[in-house]
Amino acid sequence: MALVQRGLGLPLGTAAVVVRGVLRSVSRPSWRGLEHLPDGGCVIAANHVSWLDPVTLADVLVASGPVPRILAKESLFRVPLLGALLRVMRGVPVHRGGGDAGRALQSAAEAVEAGDRVVIFTDGTLTKDPEGWPMVGKTGAARLALTTGAPVVPLAQWGPQQLLPRTGRPKPWPRPRMQVLVGPPVDLSAFRGRPLTQTVLREATEVVVDAVAQQLSELRGLPVPPRWDPRTQSRRPAAAPAAARPEVEGTP
């Protein structure tokens, strides 16, 4: 694998070299399953463990193929350095609530149909699971995959939360392993061609989140626990139906 993919252009190529240099000084990469990432348009469904995730995932994905587009909440675009990187990568800003959410998903659909790889965090925010597992998922990734017909690829990561915890100071020493495991595309054939009702979207979302959680289980060497529901602050079986949520789905 090349240090940085050719043809990125000066702004993105420079950003990639700088970001990679910084990350290598404070962490150790461990990436597996990158052969499952298609070259064409696809939806990458990922878990969300740290505010650093857009940077660490960009490191993986820029090195392994076409430059991804990451759906991220608008406030992240105003963070120094991170915002600049997201803009260089043509990130899709999402304003929570109102019509902006729908426009963001429409932009993401257009990007997938144009051959881009679009990253969506299934939790929609940093996971609140006490043990760091994916929570009850939001339907953005499933909706995007079923709308466009593109494959949805599960990606699990573990390590960014050790470098940059949800609260507290960064912990660059000892250098944490930035583990990534990509699985084969999720089989959503049972849902394709059906009306995109909330029931269909919730069921498809459970399948997607299950796939992400299984990849994380392999990374951590632990069984997947029942899904954490942030509304009730408790665990429940992953197969139980979840009510639709009004907030923006599929964004950090």
Side-chain angles (χ1 to χ4, degrees):
M1 182 184 301
L3 174 64
V4 177
Q5 187 190 12
R6 294 181 180 179
L8 295 182
L10 182 59
L12 184 52
T14 301
V17 170
V18 171
V19 167
R20 178 150 298 176
V22 172
L23 286 177
R24 293 301 172 276
S25 69
V26 295
S27 66
R28 298 169 293 144
S30 177
W31 306 338
R32 292 186 287 145
L34 302 187
E35 68 276 7
H36 294 303
L37 292 168
D39 291 333
C42 69
V43 180
I44 299 173
N47 63 319
H48 198 1
V49 295
S50 169
W51 297 119
L52 196 60
D53 291 345
V55 176
T56 55
L57 288 186
D59 181 30
V60 178
L61 297 172
V62 167
S64 63
V67 178
R69 301 191 69 178
I70 299 178
L71 266 69
K73 62 183 181 181
E74 183 274 335
S75 61
L76 294 182
F77 286 77
R78 292 184 269 112
V79 176
L81 298 181
L82 175 57
L85 177 62
L86 286 170
R87 285 189 291 272
V88 167
M89 293 183 62
R90 302 173 300 134
V92 181
V94 179
H95 302 258
R96 299 204 168 192
D100 285 333
R103 284 193 291 272
L105 285 176
Q106 179 59 37
S107 296
E110 293 171 357
V112 170
E113 291 170 345
D116 287 338
R117 299 188 299 182
V118 173
V119 179
I120 296 185
F121 296 106
T122 60
D123 287 331
T125 186
L126 286 183
T127 181
K128 297 179 178 64
D129 184 296
E131 299 174 14
W133 294 93
M135 302 185 294
V136 171
K138 296 185 179 180
T139 61
R143 182 188 297 272
L144 190 55
L146 293 174
T147 299
T148 62
V152 55
V153 180
L155 183 155
Q157 56 173 339
W158 192 246
Q161 81 287 349
Q162 297 171 2
L163 179 60
L164 184 62
R166 183 184 185 93
T167 59
R169 296 181 178 180
K171 300 177 180 178
W173 189 261
R175 289 192 305 160
R177 290 175 63 202
M178 295 298 181
Q179 299 184 77
V180 168
L181 179 60
V182 183
V186 181
D187 183 5
L188 294 181
S189 58
F191 306 101
R192 298 196 186 277
R194 295 168 59 182
L196 297 185
T197 64
Q198 281 299 321
T199 297
V200 167
L201 289 171
R202 297 309 316 177
E203 291 176 355
T205 295
E206 288 292 342
V207 174
V208 172
V209 178
D210 279 346
V212 175
Q214 287 299 326
Q215 302 306 308
L216 185 57
S217 173
E218 184 171 339
L219 280 181
R220 299 179 63 179
L222 297 171
V224 179
R227 199 88 75 232
W228 181 264
D229 189 334
R231 296 171 304 163
T232 62
Q233 295 292 295
S234 63
R235 296 193 183 280
R236 60 178 178 75
R245 302 178 194 174
E247 64 263 33
V248 176
E249 297 181 333
T251 60

